[in-house]
Amino acid sequence: MTKKLSTQPYKGTRDFYPQSMSQQNYLFDTMRMVVEKYGYEEYNASILEETDLYRAKSGEEIVNEQTYSFTDRGGRDVTIRPEMTPTVARMIAAKRKELAFPLRWYSIPNLLRYERPQRGRLREHWQLNVDIFGVESQDAEIEIISIANSIMKLFGATSDDFVIKVNNRQSVDYILQTYLGLDTDRSHSVAKLIDRMHKIPRDDFEKSLSEFIGDDLDKLLSVLDAKSIAELPDDLQKLDSVTMINAFIQELESVGIDNCIYDPALMRGFDYYTGIVFEVFDTHPDNNRSLFGGGRYDDLVGIFGVEPVSAVGFGMGDVTIQDFLDVHELSPEYATATELKVCILDNSVKSFAREIANELREGDVSVVFETVQKKPAQHIKSAEKHAIPFILFIGEDEKQSGLFKLKDLENHEEIEVSREKIILELKNRL
Ligand code: HAM
């Protein structure tokens, strides 16, 4: 017996039925509106890349454990993009000499990562990528975080609803390599461990840490547990890369972003970050988790053998943002683009009714013309299920009299209108 075909989507992916499609479009429209207001241009690329692209700088976890990789029929190692940053860096490098820097680019690609599906983590997600190339100063970080903040505000969030945690990869390197004296390999392993600090039990974390750093455990913990720069050990507070974070937080405050804090344990998984890294967290007790993040990566474009280009950006996923909107009750109600459903009461008026439907479409009304005959109550029920706000029944009486009964399904009203006035009445009410 053949196995029954499943109707479920592939594990960790979603089907977008019209309601969820509309919700996703709302997310993307809101993101687009903000980034375009800041002058960012859209780009895209293929979902397939040569696997080598990710081996260079994305980090082992992504490449060895999370990619969908295969060998194509021509023997090439191929990977479905798990993130967009290596792709955009490759695109910039390919036209390094032609492009007019600074560049402000955005994209909303779908990405695939082989992960254990759980709240906020799926195998396929869409991710707004916003990146600025060719700005060396901190103005780039200020702009990028301002965009992230503006998007959150346009979604209806207040600054109490989320917190922006920042750290600096340079201070992390200093703390691990100079302050603790770890060699590059051990410092890399410790950084990866710190990246998982809040995902594993504290005892396990400390045990694993001490395997790398032995007696220096307390020394490192006193850094990681610092809630502000003032809580850091004295000699670290004066570090350039630390005072720079302080100045950065103050500058954000001066542009009205006052929910930014220093977190010495913030690592961000990727190997390509070189300076400021940041991650936005939900403050709601039911969704106390990371929403999105990014940082500066000045060396990535250079790995393609061209002159390096400084870069700062972030990736904001649709899954985590949707969880945020749900828990804060910020999701808009489902609305369809269809404004009116025209139904016929008799087959004899079909062409007349079709003519009216077309006339309304020319008048910029979105119309469903329903030729399937049902009882009016059934048509109304179905229109309501599709969230169509108005319905118009056309029969012989309407054809003869030229007067129509327009039903407003939201307000449960019936309005009698002439053919010429249908559009006006609809537009006034919509
Ligand atoms: P990332 O932290 O790996 O960074 O992903 C950014 C965001 O994408 C996450 O915070 C989350 O919102 C979403 N995301 C990632 N993986 C998943 C998943 N499995 N399921 C659902 N959502 C997910 C990057 O990808 C960097 N390339 C971002 C970047 C752009 N940095 C600079 N420019």
Side-chain angles (χ1 to χ4, degrees), residues 83 85 113 115 120-122 125 127 129 131 268 270 272-273 291-294 297 313-315 317 319-320:
E83 57 155 337
T85 312
R113 294 185 191 179
E115 295 204 59
R121 294 273 146 204
L122 294 177
H125 76 284
Q127 192 191 89
N129 277 250
D131 294 271
R268 301 239 348 109
F270 300 106
Y272 48 68
Y273 292 117
L291 296 173
F292 61 93
Y297 53 104
F314 69 84
V319 181
T320 47

Side-chain angles (χ1 to χ4, degrees), residues 113-369:
R113 294 185 191 179
Y114 191 81
E115 295 204 59
R116 190 170 61 81
Q118 54 192 294
R119 186 176 170 86
R121 294 273 146 204
L122 294 177
R123 290 189 173 173
E124 182 184 38
H125 76 284
W126 273 254
Q127 192 191 89
L128 168 70
N129 277 250
V130 185
D131 294 271
I132 181 164
F133 297 92
V135 177
E136 279 168 28
S137 74
Q138 237 175 53
D139 294 325
E141 281 92 341
I142 297 287
E143 177 163 311
I144 284 294
I145 293 186
S146 299
I147 293 174
N149 184 61
S150 299
I151 296 174
M152 294 303 285
K153 293 285 161 76
L154 197 60
F155 277 131
T158 66
S159 38
D160 293 338
D161 294 335
F162 63 99
V163 60
I164 306 165
K165 296 186 178 173
V166 292
N167 196 3
N168 188 340
R169 273 286 173 96
Q170 285 161 5
S171 66
V172 171
D173 287 347
Y174 180 90
I175 288 163
L176 298 180
Q177 292 169 17
T178 310
Y179 188 64
L180 294 176
L182 301 177
D183 60 28
T184 324
D185 280 354
R186 277 203 304 163
S187 121
H188 191 255
S189 307
V190 170
K192 294 282 167 197
L193 198 56
I194 298 172
D195 191 35
R196 300 179 54 226
M197 177 172 164
H198 298 297
K199 295 179 190 145
I200 51 179
R202 179 75 180 201
D203 283 355
D204 295 351
F205 172 68
E206 289 187 13
K207 211 166 140 234
S208 309
L209 255 194
S210 57
E211 280 167 22
F212 286 107
I213 56 174
D215 293 345
D216 278 340
L217 179 66
D218 287 340
K219 200 172 168 187
L220 179 55
L221 289 178
S222 70
V223 175
L224 297 179
D225 291 334
K227 299 266 174 299
S228 66
I229 290 169
E231 286 185 19
L232 282 178
D234 284 348
D235 33 353
L236 291 182
Q237 285 184 34
K238 295 183 199 78
L239 260 187
D240 279 354
S241 53
V242 170
T243 52
M244 176 256 218
I245 300 175
N246 213 0
F248 181 59
I249 292 176
Q250 280 171 11
E251 203 172 335
L252 282 172
E253 274 171 19
S254 74
V255 296
I257 300 171
D258 56 6
N259 51 344
C260 191
I261 58 167
Y262 168 59
D263 181 357
L266 179 74
M267 291 293 136
R268 301 239 348 109
F270 300 106
D271 291 344
Y272 48 68
Y273 292 117
T274 54
I276 289 273
V277 285
F278 72 95
E279 201 150 312
V280 175
F281 287 77
D282 194 342
T283 52
H284 197 291
D286 296 343
N287 193 43
N288 214 325
R289 54 185 62 235
S290 160
L291 296 173
F292 61 93
R296 178 175 282 276
Y297 53 104
D298 285 346
D299 298 340
L300 196 56
V301 174
I303 66 166
F304 298 92
V306 300
E307 200 191 320
V309 179
S310 46
V312 182
F314 69 84
M316 175 190 267
D318 63 335
V319 181
T320 47
I321 284 295
Q322 188 56 54
D323 286 345
F324 175 84
L325 297 184
D326 288 345
V327 86
H328 291 270
E329 296 180 15
L330 292 171
S331 276
E333 269 187 37
Y334 175 62
T336 162
T338 312
E339 293 162 321
L340 174 71
K341 178 168 168 176
V342 173
C343 307
I344 51 170
L345 297 169
D346 205 314
N347 251 333
S348 61
V349 297
K350 200 193 273 178
S351 2
F352 172 71
R354 183 177 279 125
E355 196 182 295
I356 293 200
N358 283 335
E359 190 174 291
L360 294 171
R361 288 178 186 133
E362 272 165 33
D364 211 20
V365 181
S366 304
V367 183
V368 159
F369 177 48

